[in-house]
Amino acid sequence: MIALNYGRHYDMLEATKSIASKVKDGLLQLEDIDNKLFEQELSTKCANFAKPAHKNWRRTENQQLAYSELYFTKTLFPDFGEEELKEAILSFQLRHRRFGGHTY
């Protein structure tokens, strides 16, 4: 899965507005609000993928990106071409995914 320019703050704001509206309309009670409900209101709810999990890959910690690794390149987007894409794919292929497990 490739995501470009995902604005989590906007997504969180829209999810919050949606939940608040449902509470206001009597469709939800405050006690109904939990992490699962909040995740269902995010725009990424439809993505059916393993929560994304090396030298250019960096860990991030948040609810939506558990076990994710993001690839960072010094090449700016307009100059990002076939060679840079091949380099990113090779980096991905060399990783060993453990999904939180240990291989001691």
Side-chain angles (χ1 to χ4, degrees):
M1 171 179 273
I2 296 175
L4 299 176
N5 198 22
Y6 170 69
R8 69 180 173 93
H9 288 109
Y10 176 79
D11 198 15
M12 290 168 46
L13 178 63
E14 292 303 305
T16 302
K17 287 179 182 179
S18 175
I19 292 170
S21 178
K22 290 176 182 178
V23 170
K24 182 181 120 190
D25 295 341
L27 301 172
L28 285 175
Q29 299 298 313
L30 287 176
E31 305 80 45
D32 298 330
I33 301 172
D34 59 12
N35 282 334
K36 184 176 180 183
L37 175 68
F38 191 78
E39 284 184 5
Q40 290 171 349
E41 294 292 332
L42 295 172
S43 64
T44 54
K45 67 182 175 283
C46 62
N48 184 16
F49 59 91
K51 299 230 179 201
H54 204 156
K55 95 186 180 220
N56 285 334
W57 292 82
R58 298 182 186 132
R59 296 285 310 176
T60 183
E61 300 296 335
N62 84 21
Q63 186 175 359
Q64 288 280 291
L65 297 175
Y67 301 112
S68 295
E69 294 185 19
L70 305 176
Y71 181 78
F72 294 91
T73 179
K74 293 182 181 185
T75 305
L76 299 177
F77 182 73
D79 300 322
F80 192 91
E82 185 176 339
E83 288 306 311
E84 290 80 12
L85 179 60
K86 286 179 183 177
E87 186 178 325
I89 292 170
L90 178 61
S91 176
F92 180 79
Q93 290 173 331
L94 295 174
R95 291 183 299 126
H96 173 68
R97 298 290 307 265
R98 297 174 308 194
F99 300 99
H102 298 287
T103 57
Y104 302 110

